[in-house]
C-alpha cells in the first residue's frame, strides 16, 4: 500500500516537473518569436524604403549604376531569406550596400538638397537604428532560451519535445559602425 | 533591470517616510502653537488633508497640468519625423512596452522633460529650441535620458516627492507669514485665556514650532535634492547604455548649457523634471546644495570619461575617475550587470559642426508645424514648401521648378492667401552665405571651396545653395548668365 502511494507521489512530482519545464520553454520560445517579429517589422520597412530611395537617387546619380544595382540586388536577396541565419547574413550585406550608398551620396550636393531624399534618408537611418536596438533584445532572449535548452534538467524536456536552439541575429561589426548618420537641418 | 527599479523604489519609500514624518511633526507643532491642549491633532489632520488633496490632484492630473503650464503641444509624426523616430528607437532600446506621447514646447530655450503616471502613459516633451540646436545623435542622447527616467520609474518619484516637499514648504510658509501679520494679537489673547504656567509652556511650544517651520523645508529640500540628483546620474548612465553612444548626450548637454535662454514657463516646482535646470539665473551661489541637478560640466566630464564602454560599470568608473575617489553613484543592482556594452563608433564626424544658420530655419519649421502649417513637397524637384493655414488656393506653381502643386484644402482652414516657401520666401542677403559661386554653364562643372575641397555640380543641380561637405561653409550657387 505504502509502496503504491510513494510510486504515485513520484509520478505526480515528475509530471509536475515536466509540465512546468515545458511551459517555461514554450514561454521563452514565444518571447524569442515576439522579439524576432519586432526586428522583422523593421526589416520589412527597410525593404519598402529602398526602391523609393533608388528611384529618387537614379535621376541624380547617372554615374553610379553599380552602387544602385548592388542595393537592389542585396534587397531582393534579403527578402528571399527564410531563416534567421540566412536573414542575418543577407541583411548585413544590405546594411553594407546602403552605407556605401550614403558615402557616395556625399558627392551629389543636389541630391543631398532634395527634400524627398532627405526624408527617405532619415527614415532609413532610423530603421537601421531600430534594427540594431531590436537585435540587441532579440539576442538577449535567444541567450535565455538556448541556455534553458542546454542546461540540465530542462535539456531532457527540450529533447523530448523537440525544442530547437534559436539562431542569433548577427551583423558584421563593420556594417554596424557604418550606420549612416544624417546631418540635422540640412 | 527589475533589480534596479526595486532598489529605486526602496529608496523612495524611505524618503517618503522621513518626509511624511516631518510633515506630521510640523502639522502637530503648528496646531499646538495655535490652539493649546489638543490643537496638535487638528493641525496634524490639516497637514495630512492638504497633502492628500495635492497628491490626488498630482495622481489624476499631474501630467496634464505640467504639460499645459509649460505650453507643450502634442504633435503628430509629420511635424518632426526625426523626433518621433528617435523616441521610437529609444522605446525599442529600453524595452518599454508603449510608445510615449510626443510634445513640443514653443520656446527657444533648449530643454526637455518626461512625465506620466505609469510607463504605459508617458509623455516626452522637448522645446523647439532644443530641436533647433541639436543634431540627430545629440537629440537621441537627450531622448534616451528622458526614456531612462520613464524606464527607471523616476517620474512618479519626482512627482510625489515634489508634492510632499511642496506641502511642507507651503505649510511652513503660511504659518510663518500668519505670525508675522498677527503675532501681537494672538499672544495677548493667549495670556488672558490661560494661567501663567501654561502661558510659559505655550511660549516654548511656539518657539519650537517656529524653529521647526524654518528648518523643515530646508531639510526636506536637501533630502529631496540629494536623491533627485542621484537619479539624474542614473538617467545619464541608462541613457548612455541605451544609445551606446555617451558622446551624443555629452555634446547635447554642452550645447544646452551654452544657451543663455531661460525657459519662462518653468518654475521651482517643475524645475526638477527637466533635463537641465531651466532656471539659470537663480540660486547660482548655492548651486551645489540647492540644485536639483548635478553641475552640467560634471555630467559632461563623466560621460566623456567613459572610455571602455557604455555600460553601468563604465559610467561608475568614469564617475570615480572624474572625482578622483571611490564612491558609489549608481545602485549596486545596476553595477551587477556585468555584460560588456561596446560604444558605437559614429560613421561620420562631420555633423559635429553643423551650421547654426540651417538650424534657425529648422526652428521656424518646427514652430510653424506645431501651429498647424501644412508641409507639401514638390513632385518635380522635391522642394519643401510651407503653406500657412490661411492659404486658400487649390493649386499653385512651385517657386523653383513651376510644377503645379495641389493643396489638400480639406486639411486647412481657408482664410487669406499667403504663400511662403522655404528658399524663396526668406529674405536672402549676402550675409546668409559664406561664399558665392556663379555657374558658368549648366553642365557638369567643378569648383573649389575656400577650404580647398573640390565640389562637383551636376547638370541637374537646381538648388540655391549647398553646404561644403568638408568645412560646412554655406555656398550660394548662382545661375549661369545667358
Ligand atoms: Zn533628467
Ligand atoms: Zn519644384
Amino acid at each position: 500500500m505504502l509502496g503504491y502511494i510513494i510510486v504515485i507521489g513520484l509520478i505526480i512530482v515528475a509530471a509536475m516537473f515536466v509540465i512546468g519545464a515545458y511551459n517555461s520553454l514554450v514561454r521563452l520560445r514565444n518571447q524569442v518569436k515576439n522579439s524576432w517579429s519586432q526586428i522583422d517589422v523593421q526589416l520589412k520597412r527597410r525593404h519598402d524604403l529602398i526602391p523609393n530611395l533608388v528611384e529618387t537617387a537614379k535621376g541624380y546619380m547617372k554615374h553610379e549604376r553599380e552602387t544602385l544595382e548592388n542595393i537592389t540586388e542585396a534587397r531582393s536577396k534579403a527578402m528571399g531569406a527564410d531563416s534567421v541565419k540566412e536573414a542575418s547574413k543577407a541583411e548585413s550585406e544590405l546594411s553594407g550596400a546602403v552605407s556605401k550608398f550614403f558615402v557616395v551620396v556625399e558627392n551629389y550636393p543636389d541630391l543631398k538638397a532634395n527634400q524627398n531624399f532627405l526624408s527617405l534618408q532619415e527614415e532609413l537611418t532610423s530603421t537601421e537604428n531600430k534594427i540594431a536596438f531590436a537585435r540587441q533584445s532579440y539576442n538577449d532572449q535567444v541567450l535565455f532560451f538556448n541556455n534553458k535548452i542546454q542546461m540540465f534538467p530542462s535539456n531532457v524536456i527540450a529533447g523530448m519535445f523537440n525544442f530547437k536552439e534559436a539562431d542569433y541575429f548577427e551583423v558584421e561589426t563593420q556594417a554596424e559602425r557604418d550606420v549612416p548618420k544624417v546631418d540635422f537641418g540640412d | 533591470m527589475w533589480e534596479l527599479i526595486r532598489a529605486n523604489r526602496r529608496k523612495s519609500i524611505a524618503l517618503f517616510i522621513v518626509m511624511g514624518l516631518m510633515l506630521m511633526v510640523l502639522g502637530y507643532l503648528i496646531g499646538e502653537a495655535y490652539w493649546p491642549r489638543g490643537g496638535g491633532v487638528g493641525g496634524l489632520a490639516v497637514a495630512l488633508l492638504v497633502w492628500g488633496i495635492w497628491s490626488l490632484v498630482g495622481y489624476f492630473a499631474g501630467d496634464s497640468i505640467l504639460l499645459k503650464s509649460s505650453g507643450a503641444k502634442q504633435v503628430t509624426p509629420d511635424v518632426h519625423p526625426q523626433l518621433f523616430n528617435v523616441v521610437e528607437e529609444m522605446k525599442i532600446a529600453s524595452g518599454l512596452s508603449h510608445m510615449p506621447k510626443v510634445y513640443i514646447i514653443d520656446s527657444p530655450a533648449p530643454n526637455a522633460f518626461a512625465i506620466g503616471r505609469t510607463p504605459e502613459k508617458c509623455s516626452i516633451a522637448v522645446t523647439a529650441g532644443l530641436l533647433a540646436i541639436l543634431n540627430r545623435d545629440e537629440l537621441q542622447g537627450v531622448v534616451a535620458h528622458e526614456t531612462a527616467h520613464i524606464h527607471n520609474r523616476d517620474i512618479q518619484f519626482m512627482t510625489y516627492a515634489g508634492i510632499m516637499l511642496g506641502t511642507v514648504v507651503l505649510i511652513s510658509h503660511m504659518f510663518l507669514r500668519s505670525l508675522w501679520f498677527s503675532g501681537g494679537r494672538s499672544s495677548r489673547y493667549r495670556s488672558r485665556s490661560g494661567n501663567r504656567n501654561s502661558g510659559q509652556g505655550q511660549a516654548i511650544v511656539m518657539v519650537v514650532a517656529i524653529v521647526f517651520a524654518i528648518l523643515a523645508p530646508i531639510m526636506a529640500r536637501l533630502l529631496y535634492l540629494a536623491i533627485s540628483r542621484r537619479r539624474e546620474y542614473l538617467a545619464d548612465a541608462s541613457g548612455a547604455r541605451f544609445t551606446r553612444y555617451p558622446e551624443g548626450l555629452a555634446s547635447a548637454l554642452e550645447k544646452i548649457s551654452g544657451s543663455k535662454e531661460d525657459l519662462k514657463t518653468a518654475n521651482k516646482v517643475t524645475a526638477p523634471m527637466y533635463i537641465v535646470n531651466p532656471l539659470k539665473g537663480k540660486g547660482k551661489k548655492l548651486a551645489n546644495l540647492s540644485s536639483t541637478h548635478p553641475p552640467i560640466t560634471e555630467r559632461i566630464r563623466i560621460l566623456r570619461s567613459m572610455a571602455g564602454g557604455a555600460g553601468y560599470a563604465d559610467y561608475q568608473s568614469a564617475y570615480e575617475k572624474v572625482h578622483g575617489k571611490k564612491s558609489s553613484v549608481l545602485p549596486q543592482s545596476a553595477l551587477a550587470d556585468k555584460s560588456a556594452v561596446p560604444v558605437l563608433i559614429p560613421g561620420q564626424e562631420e555633423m559635429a559642426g553643423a551650421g547654426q544658420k540651417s538650424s534657425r530655419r529648422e526652428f521656424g519649421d518646427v514652430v510653424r508645424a506645431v501651429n498647424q502649417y501644412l508641409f507639401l513637397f514638390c513632385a518635380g524637384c522635391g522642394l519643401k514648401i510651407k503653406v500657412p493655414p490661411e492659404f486658400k488656393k487649390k493649386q499653385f506653381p512651385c517657386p523653383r521648378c513651376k510644377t503645379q502643386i495641389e493643396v489638400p484644402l480639406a486639411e486647412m482652414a481657408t482664410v487669406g492667401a499667403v504663400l511662403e516657401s522655404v528658399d524663396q520666401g526668406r529674405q536672402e542677403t549676402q550675409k546668409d552665405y559664406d561664399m558665392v559661386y556663379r555657374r558658368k554653364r549648366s553642365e557638369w562643372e567643378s569648383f573649389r571651396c575656400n577650404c580647398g575641397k573640390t565640389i562637383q555640380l551636376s547638370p541637374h543641380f537646381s538648388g540655391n545653395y549647398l553646404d561644403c561637405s568638408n568645412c560646412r561653409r554655406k555656398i550660394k550657387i548662382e545661375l549661369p548668365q545667358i
Side-chain angles (χ1 to χ4, degrees), chain A residues 59 62-63 106 109-110 114-116 122-123 125-126 129-130 133-134 176-177 181-186, chain B residues 82 85 88-89 131 134-137 242 244 345 350 354 358 377 382 384 456 458 460-461 467 472:
Chain A
K62 294 241 158 66
H63 302 268
E106 292 301 307
D110 41 346
N114 181 315
Q115 285 293 344
N116 282 336
E122 161 59 30
E123 286 311 307
T125 304
S126 180
N129 287 348
K130 285 168 194 163
F133 292 132
E176 191 173 337
R177 285 181 189 183
K181 299 280 168 185
V182 213
D183 208 325
F184 189 88
D186 240 357
Chain B
Q82 190 173 63
N85 280 336
E88 200 183 343
E89 284 162 28
L131 294 170
L134 299 191
N135 67 34
R136 195 178 207 287
D137 287 338
F242 293 159
R244 294 183 289 149
I345 298 153
E350 57 160 315
S358 55
F377 291 101
K384 182 156 94 174
Q456 281 207 318
S458 85
H460 305 282
F461 185 83
D467 290 333
R472 311 304 309 171

Side-chain angles (χ1 to χ4, degrees), chain B residues 398-426:
Chain B
C398 166
R400 191 193 277 165
C401 73
K402 307 296 177 232
T403 307
Q404 284 294 321
I405 298 168
E406 301 272 336
V407 180
L409 281 176
E411 294 177 31
M412 313 178 56
T414 47
V415 215
V418 199
L419 169 68
E420 192 188 359
S421 89
V422 186
D423 292 351
Q424 256 75 7
R426 214 156 47 103

Side-chain angles (χ1 to χ4, degrees), chain B residues 426-453:
Chain B
R426 214 156 47 103
Q427 284 294 337
E428 272 177 17
T429 56
Q430 214 68 340
K431 257 193 287 173
D432 279 354
Y433 302 99
D434 305 303
M435 207 182 139
V436 179
Y437 175 75
R438 181 177 288 278
R439 296 195 70 166
K440 291 175 187 61
R441 48 192 196 279
S442 44
E443 297 163 16
W444 281 101
E445 65 183 301
S446 61
F447 67 98
R448 243 168 225 277
C449 171
N450 286 347
C451 72
K453 162 107 182 156

